[in-house]
Amino acid sequence: MNVEKTAHTKRKPHAELRKTALSAAELILVEEGLGAVTARRVANETGCSVGTLYNIFGHLDGLICEVNLSTFRQMAEEASRTIRDLPESAGCEERLATLARMYLNFARTHRNRWTAVFEHRPQGPADQRIQNAEQLLFARIISAAGIDPTGANQAEADSLRMLLAAIHGVVTFAINRTIPPADAERYVTLIVQAGLRGYREMVDEGLL
Amino acid sequence: MNVEKTAHTKRKPHAELRKTALSAAELILVEEGLGAVTARRVANETGCSVGTLYNIFGHLDGLICEVNLSTFRQMAEEASRTIRDLPESAGCEERLATLARMYLNFARTHRNRWTAVFEHRPQGPADQRIQNAEQLLFARIISAAGIDPTGANQAEADSLRMLLAAIHGVVTFAINRTIPPADAERYVTLIVQAGLRGYREMVDEGLL
DNA sequence: GAGCAAAAATGAACATTGTTCAAATATGGA
DNA sequence: TCCATATTTGAACAATGTTCATTTTTGCTC
């Protein structure tokens, strides 16, 4: 009843402020890194007070989680585009290698944002929405690789998930151990190829 | 001259305090995580003042780097032990798989300390000693795998380095995405086996 | 032992963090 | 116009890393 009564008023009073605050935070993150994303700083850039920021997001962690979620969504979107543009003729290996290179490239192009996703550890349990988004992205990649993770393919999907973790490791090293760009692309591709081939060989030999 | 003159006095006046401070910091890290390692906290536990801590370590980052270095050294030591105890008959694959499992196990057993090594980003460039220790450990592992990273083996050693990055990625996921322990061991082993087999297959086919 | 200069330890003080909340302000309906 | 409610505000608090004038200790010389 009162739900209806207030229906025609602003449902989300903070809607616009929320958006500009997130934009401001994102800009700071992009240009100066996670360390520069500060309550007062974001408030200044947004044109509101710290208090308002807390009214909207509860904690600064909440704001940062939201920014990270946006980063993750953008990456997922890029992955979807990559998957869509994959030639029909492409095999599993080529598909995954292309996606892996896209991942590396995203991390490179959006260094600060990508780093923030893994640097930021909110106290308390990890943000559920990011977890979900990650699971979804993984599932989409696995399905794009041509594997339906049900029944007998369960094990194969799990192995693929581990390959994704491996790719993440290589990208991490490529990002913050200053590996030459050309080499990084080669190695990211290599881990996909070697991982897949080895896995198949083992399956063929009845080892798995 | 004056070097000799002061030779019989304490060369490193802070030597003992330094050690107890590091122990204190390590204990806090182990029990409560990196976030709890605070200047005042360490000072209290050490039985000195914050000022003294800063006289010794310059910055808190310096202290934490030192603790991380100690973690790294302990891991390297464990790796050396693992390598030493490897049966003569063990092949490259078994050797690497054993080391990878050791790495996973170390990360599990020393969760907070292992996490701190990668969580902590000192402002300014990364600590050179940790970089060096890492390079050394990698070199030792690669040599233990039976590869001499000179001449024609250069490429093979580089690929192996990437395999190590991949292992790190899998362990990272295993640690903070709550993968069942049994599965983690299996997957860490799998990435080694699949990576190596695939790599060899590609070499055999003349693709590398 | 006394005296003294250099070294070391101290902790109050400062700047910056995240966070709170009583007070001020804006809003929208009667 | 008035008022209840919702929203915004920013001073204030606790905790952080860091500094540095001051105090204390040390080790040598006489």
Side-chain angles (χ1 to χ4, degrees):
Chain A
M1 36 176 73
N2 35 14
V3 172
E4 267 319 295
K5 218 194 291 189
T6 58
H8 60 99
T9 72
K10 290 191 271 179
R11 236 176 233 280
K12 294 180 180 176
H14 305 292
E16 299 141 36
L17 251 188
R18 187 184 194 89
K19 267 173 39 179
T20 64
L22 284 175
S23 298
E26 206 165 290
L27 189 64
I28 299 170
L29 173 62
V30 167
E31 294 188 337
E32 303 177 43
L34 185 59
V37 181
T38 264
R40 285 164 181 80
R41 182 78 191 280
V42 174
N44 268 1
E45 233 90 340
T46 305
C48 71
S49 69
V50 268
T52 300
L53 235 45
Y54 275 84
N55 287 340
I56 300 179
F57 296 99
H59 298 303
L60 195 64
D61 276 348
L63 191 157
I64 292 173
C65 278
E66 208 108 355
V67 173
N68 281 343
L69 191 60
S70 142
T71 300
F72 210 93
R73 277 204 255 258
Q74 184 176 339
M75 191 171 61
E77 206 176 310
E78 208 155 305
S80 290
R81 200 166 26 238
T82 303
I83 292 173
R84 176 162 36 77
D85 295 348
L86 241 26
E88 196 68 43
S89 63
C92 173
E93 187 179 300
E94 187 185 335
R95 287 167 177 269
L96 284 177
T98 303
L99 280 164
R101 280 190 298 263
M102 181 229 90
Y103 186 53
L104 171 67
N105 223 273
F106 186 91
R108 280 228 195 89
T109 314
H110 308 88
R111 225 199 133 127
N112 281 342
R113 291 171 70 193
W114 182 81
T115 300
V117 173
F118 303 101
E119 254 185 25
H120 176 64
R121 291 196 213 297
Q123 41 196 59
D127 191 88
Q128 196 56 50
R129 291 172 306 168
I130 292 184
Q131 303 271 85
N132 291 346
E134 184 181 306
Q135 291 304 320
L136 198 95
L137 177 61
F138 272 35
R140 216 179 297 176
I141 289 174
I142 286 170
S143 127
I147 290 161
D148 179 34
T150 58
N153 288 118
Q154 171 77 46
E156 199 169 341
D158 281 357
S159 300
L160 214 42
R161 233 178 288 275
M162 281 307 101
L163 181 56
L164 299 188
I167 293 167
H168 176 75
V170 175
V171 169
T172 301
F173 269 48
I175 290 298
N176 49 32
R177 317 271 155 145
T178 57
I179 287 175
D183 287 3
E185 283 225 351
R186 207 149 41 79
Y187 284 128
V188 163
T189 305
L190 179 61
I191 191 69
V192 171
Q193 294 175 333
L196 273 185
R197 282 158 186 265
Y199 174 75
R200 286 206 183 116
E201 189 188 308
M202 293 174 74
V203 170
D204 287 348
E205 292 179 11
L207 295 178
L208 285 177
Chain B
M1 35 178 73
N2 36 11
V3 173
E4 269 317 301
K5 221 194 287 188
T6 58
H8 58 99
T9 71
K10 289 191 272 181
R11 235 179 235 277
K12 295 180 181 177
H14 305 292
E16 299 141 36
L17 250 189
R18 188 183 194 89
K19 266 172 40 178
T20 64
L22 285 175
S23 298
E26 206 164 293
L27 190 63
I28 299 170
L29 173 62
V30 166
E31 294 188 338
E32 304 177 43
L34 184 58
V37 180
T38 264
R40 285 164 180 78
R41 182 79 191 282
V42 174
N44 267 2
E45 233 89 339
T46 306
C48 70
S49 68
V50 268
T52 301
L53 235 45
Y54 275 84
N55 287 340
I56 299 178
F57 295 101
H59 298 302
L60 195 64
D61 276 349
L63 191 158
I64 291 173
C65 279
E66 208 108 353
V67 173
N68 280 344
L69 192 61
S70 141
T71 301
F72 211 94
R73 277 203 255 259
Q74 183 175 339
M75 190 170 64
E77 206 176 310
E78 209 155 303
S80 289
R81 200 166 27 236
T82 304
I83 291 173
R84 175 161 36 76
D85 294 349
L86 241 26
E88 196 68 45
S89 62
C92 174
E93 187 179 301
E94 186 184 336
R95 288 167 176 268
L96 284 177
T98 304
L99 280 165
R101 280 190 297 264
M102 182 228 89
Y103 186 53
L104 171 67
N105 222 273
F106 185 90
R108 281 228 195 88
T109 315
H110 308 88
R111 227 199 133 126
N112 282 342
R113 290 172 70 193
W114 181 80
T115 299
V117 173
F118 302 101
E119 256 185 25
H120 177 64
R121 291 197 213 297
Q123 41 195 60
D127 191 87
Q128 197 56 50
R129 290 172 307 169
I130 292 184
Q131 303 270 86
N132 291 345
E134 184 181 306
Q135 291 304 321
L136 198 95
L137 177 60
F138 272 35
R140 217 179 296 174
I141 289 174
I142 286 170
S143 128
I147 290 161
D148 179 34
T150 58
N153 288 118
Q154 172 76 46
E156 200 169 343
D158 281 356
S159 301
L160 214 42
R161 233 177 287 275
M162 282 305 102
L163 182 57
L164 299 188
I167 293 167
H168 175 75
V170 175
V171 169
T172 300
F173 270 47
I175 290 298
N176 48 32
R177 319 269 155 146
T178 55
I179 287 176
D183 287 2
E185 282 224 351
R186 208 150 39 80
Y187 284 128
V188 163
T189 305
L190 179 61
I191 192 68
V192 171
Q193 294 173 333
L196 273 186
R197 282 159 186 263
Y199 174 77
R200 287 210 184 113
E201 190 188 308
M202 292 174 74
V203 170
D204 287 348
E205 292 179 10
L207 294 178
L208 286 177

